Amino acid sequence: MGERRAKESCQDGVNLLITKGNNNMGLEERCEALLGKQVRITFRDGSPPMCGVCVGYTRAADNEPEIAEIDIDTGAAGAYYGLMENEIEAIEELSE
């Protein structure tokens, strides 16, 4: 998926809102459900949202420091981002 499509998808409608406050699922379970899907991440510090495909995650127990992380492919050549759970306000699944 190209950078242009990732940016367009960021504007698309939202199917599912998954927030940090959802106690039914931890980040690991949310990421498992979102693997391969377009997502929009909003940040606690008010930074602009990031859109891309969820390509993986790291469990807190397997990460240093012990904070879960989601991996996003924004569509830019070679640009994958690892976003720590404590940086994330919400994760939204975008319609294709």
Side-chain angles (χ1 to χ4, degrees):
M1 178 177 308
E3 185 175 354
R4 182 170 168 256
R5 176 66 184 139
K7 287 180 181 174
E8 289 172 358
S9 294
C10 202
Q11 307 295 324
D12 289 347
V14 174
N15 289 334
L16 175 67
L17 175 63
I18 303 174
T19 63
K20 177 97 170 88
N22 180 351
N23 293 326
N24 295 328
M25 276 197 242
L27 182 66
E28 297 164 23
E29 292 85 6
R30 289 182 248 156
C31 290
E32 184 72 31
L34 293 171
L35 278 174
K37 297 181 180 177
Q38 276 292 127
V39 297
R40 176 177 31 229
I41 309 287
T42 54
F43 298 97
R44 290 178 172 209
D45 69 359
S47 295
M50 179 180 291
C51 294
V53 176
C54 176
V55 293
Y57 62 92
T58 305
R59 298 175 336 125
D62 296 332
N63 210 10
E64 185 62 39
E66 292 188 356
I67 300 171
E69 180 179 324
I70 183 172
D71 301 317
I72 302 296
D73 177 1
T74 62
Y80 283 42
Y81 296 91
L83 306 169
M84 304 295 270
E85 183 176 22
N86 60 349
E87 300 174 311
I88 298 170
E89 180 66 30
I91 303 172
E92 301 168 296
E93 180 184 349
L94 302 174
S95 59
E96 295 287 332

